[in-house]
Amino acid sequence: MTAGTEYWIRNFVNGGFVEPDEARGFAAVDPATGRVFARVHEADSALVDRAVMSARQAFDGSWGRTPVRDRVALLRRVADRIEARLEEFVAAEVADTGKPVTQARELDVARAVENFRVFADVVAATGQESFITDLPEGRQALNYAVRKPLGVVAVITPWNLPLLLLSWKVAPALACGNAVVVKPSDQTPSTAVLLAEALTEAGLPPGAYNVVHGFGSGSAGGYLTRHPGIDGVTFTGSSATGSHVMSTVAPRVRPVSFELGGKNAAIVFEDADLHEALTGLTKSIFTNTGQVCLCTERVYVQRSVFGDIADGLVGRARALHLSHPADARTTTGPLISQAHRTKVLGYFDQAEKAGADVLVGGGVPELGAELGGGSWVEPTLWTGLTNADAPVREEIFGPVAALIPFDSEEEAVGLANDTEYGLAASVWTNDLRRGHRVAQRMNVGMSWVNAWYLRDLRSPFGGTGLSGIGREGGGSSVHFYTEPTNVCVQL
Ligand code: NAD
Ligand code: 6OD
């Protein structure tokens, strides 16, 4: 449906799209070109209220009572519907983010399909905890815990992997029997809306999935997290916003799950397969233009191979292809926005002022008139910085890393753990014992050996410190999206 002649990205409440309000439109901008391609209808507090109420009705009515086998069958149909409309999802994700079309197809949308299938399997296979308690005089008690959905869950997501991260939360939440109100990032509203269509096509009852668009505290994000009808909040975004959301939710003591920022380290030992390490590091620094919470921004390299790794990474950074997202050869897209580019370029300046040697990049690329209005930066590598410098301490969220030498395993562990964040780490070594030993000593939620972003969706995902609270994935998601009632029967 349209208002005026523009293309509108609409809110979705109680199973239907909401007619946009001309006065509450904001621009959807293509980050690759800087062009406005649509208008987004910002939900006001009354609309957020309607979304929460309709979720409550769906939860209390049909959806909350739907048997597990029907819920998981529906999830599998959703996966099929996304696959059937794959290119529409890909185009929407590319329009919002400017990311290369191949990445959108092979990572973002493919993972959304997998999220629905895996959580269908996980929830179908979830049993109940039970204990037999021995009592005096030969009697016993049977304890069993019945897991019940939380109710209405607020799902708040960022702009970097919009559909992947939304479906990572929506799939288990729905599979466990919750109804959801989702607030995607204002910068990437499109795929949440397409997902509404896929869910409806798969047979989800009205109200079980609602989308409200807008911004943070004075907008849809704030209205949603403050709403008394919300039974839990699952949030992915920056640590600063996570802290804010936590204080908003605190007065009503609702469960929260937070997947937040990172300042992730890689450690490369001299015994590593250097070719494999270079391939892995290139992915871990530059995938999605460095805008993945798991991306490596600190690379600690044993001194004897420091030159090899630095030279190898510079060569690989120079070989990245920055171009139009629709070009199948493009490896690297723009940053999400001009505001984010200003932040990243600010770190480029700080690094130079702190005495960094810029091995490659450090500025804005010249990509011609078509892409001139986009928010592009050059893939960048520094040496000469230490853990004391802000670009090595603070999350930048761009295609950039600092390379720092070390001499001993103990020193490398100390340097990697010297951070308030605790999301992910990767260790590159051919020494089996060292790989296990160092990976376990990383103070993070996810530690890889000779790999990066290799995922089994049944395993726990999340961070420590500023990187988050709780874990999602497999049984961890089931635990977050349900609450147990323990029944104790004296036998
Ligand atoms: P952000 O914190 O600015 O925004 C995230 C979401 O929260 C958006 O939908 C935004 O509109 C909403 N929001 C903002 N203020 C709010 C408020 N006061 N109340 C309710 N909602 C509010 O993050 P971003 O810039 O969109 O994403 C980048 C950040 O996300 C990076 O720090 C990155 O590391 C982090 N991230 C973490 C993970 C993870 O799994 N740990 C995954 C992806 C991104
Ligand atoms: O792969 C995932 O499940 C996940 N949650 C990835 C998060 C990436 C952060 O940008």
Side-chain angles (χ1 to χ4, degrees):
M1 218 158 287
T2 54
T5 55
E6 288 159 317
Y7 169 62
W8 279 90
I9 298 170
R10 296 166 297 166
N11 297 287
F12 183 81
V13 173
N14 201 24
F17 285 105
V18 178
E19 187 62 25
D21 174 351
E22 295 276 3
R24 296 190 63 83
F26 63 91
V29 178
D30 172 359
T33 60
R35 288 191 203 111
V36 174
F37 65 90
R39 292 186 60 73
V40 191
H41 178 193
E42 182 187 1
D44 61 12
S45 62
L47 187 53
V48 172
D49 194 41
R50 262 175 58 201
V52 175
M53 304 294 240
S54 72
R56 172 67 54 201
Q57 279 163 8
F59 177 71
D60 288 342
S62 56
W63 186 244
R65 293 159 203 256
T66 302
V68 176
R69 68 168 180 279
D70 295 344
R71 295 201 303 258
V72 303
L74 185 137
L75 256 67
R76 294 195 175 103
R77 291 198 297 276
V78 176
D80 295 344
R81 290 310 306 151
I82 299 172
E83 267 181 339
R85 299 179 63 178
L86 186 89
E87 291 306 322
E88 280 176 80
F89 277 95
V90 169
E93 205 71 305
V94 170
D96 278 354
T97 61
K99 64 180 64 186
V101 67
T102 43
Q103 185 206 304
R105 192 178 292 123
E106 288 162 20
L107 173 65
D108 296 77
V109 183
R111 250 300 297 278
V113 171
E114 197 186 354
N115 285 338
F116 280 98
R117 294 208 170 117
V118 167
F119 282 110
D121 292 345
V122 167
V123 169
T126 299
Q128 312 287 4
E129 273 177 277
S130 68
F131 298 96
I132 298 280
T133 317
D134 289 319
L135 302 174
E137 297 167 10
R139 293 196 69 180
Q140 289 186 313
L142 167 64
N143 284 272
Y144 61 95
V146 182
R147 288 213 157 260
K148 299 188 280 195
L150 291 178
V152 177
V153 177
V155 178
I156 300 182
T157 49
W159 46 258
N160 61 327
L161 303 170
L163 182 67
L164 185 161
L165 292 170
L166 183 70
S167 52
W168 170 245
K169 294 174 182 301
V170 167
L174 291 178
C176 290
N178 300 282
V180 297
V181 180
V182 312
K183 210 243 17 107
S185 169
D186 50 284
Q187 296 178 93
T188 54
S190 299
T191 43
V193 169
L194 275 182
L195 185 59
E197 294 178 8
L199 287 160
T200 306
E201 287 162 10
L204 190 73
Y209 175 88
N210 305 273
V211 184
V212 290
H213 295 297
F215 308 88
S217 46
S219 181
Y223 305 144
L224 186 57
T225 49
R226 278 199 298 274
H227 200 288
I230 291 297
D231 298 309
V233 177
T234 177
F235 171 83
T236 299
S238 64
S239 304
T241 308
S243 166
H244 191 86
V245 170
M246 192 163 180
S247 64
T248 307
V249 176
R252 284 172 292 103
V253 197
R254 294 294 186 267
V256 291
S257 174
F258 285 155
E259 299 189 333
L260 308 178
K263 188 70 187 178
N264 311 304
I267 302 178
V268 186
F269 288 99
E270 61 189 0
D271 58 33
D273 175 330
L274 295 192
H275 179 78
E276 192 181 54
L278 282 166
T279 303
L281 288 169
T282 306
K283 277 194 202 147
S284 78
I285 299 167
F286 299 118
T287 293
N288 207 42
T289 317
Q291 304 168 114
V292 180
C293 59
L294 308 164
C295 275
T296 301
E297 292 190 357
R298 300 180 290 143
V299 186
Y300 300 103
V301 186
Q302 197 152 16
R303 199 174 299 274
S304 56
V305 293
F306 191 82
D308 296 325
I309 290 293
D311 291 348
L313 278 178
V314 168
R316 284 163 169 78
R318 290 208 169 106
L320 294 171
H321 190 62
L322 280 65
S323 186
H324 200 282
D327 183 339
R329 291 165 306 167
T330 300
T331 58
T332 310
L335 295 173
I336 189 67
S337 64
Q338 295 292 344
H340 189 47
R341 177 164 78 167
T342 301
K343 176 186 156 189
V344 172
L345 291 176
Y347 281 107
F348 286 13
D349 281 349
Q350 283 188 53
E352 289 195 46
K353 287 194 183 113
D357 288 320
V358 183
L359 301 184
V360 63
V364 170
E366 181 46 63
L367 296 173
E370 160 81 359
L371 302 177
S375 37
W376 300 83
V377 292
E378 292 174 326
T380 296
L381 295 167
W382 300 311
T383 55
L385 297 176
T386 72
N387 272 16
D389 297 310
V392 184
R393 301 206 69 76
E394 296 167 16
E395 184 187 50
I396 301 172
F397 223 52
V400 55
L403 314 187
I404 297 175
F406 70 84
D407 292 300
S408 68
E409 180 179 311
E410 204 54 32
E411 184 191 3
V413 169
L415 287 167
N417 280 339
D418 174 23
T419 171
E420 286 187 88
Y421 289 99
L423 192 59
S426 48
V427 181
W428 299 89
T429 178
N430 268 339
D431 179 332
L432 183 70
R433 291 199 177 99
R434 171 183 268 162
H436 285 281
R437 187 170 63 230
V438 174
Q440 288 181 30
R441 289 184 69 193
M442 296 292 96
N443 295 332
V444 295
M446 283 92 51
S447 198
W448 282 284
V449 180
N450 297 331
W452 174 78
Y453 203 3
L454 184 60
R455 296 278 287 112
D456 183 321
L457 306 188
R458 298 166 300 178
S459 57
F461 185 102
T464 65
L466 283 185
S467 293
I469 295 180
R471 296 290 182 274
E472 295 188 26
S476 305
S477 293
V478 175
H479 273 245
F480 177 70
Y481 293 109
T482 59
E483 270 194 313
T485 297
N486 189 70
V487 178
C488 178
V489 185
Q490 188 167 215
L491 302 175

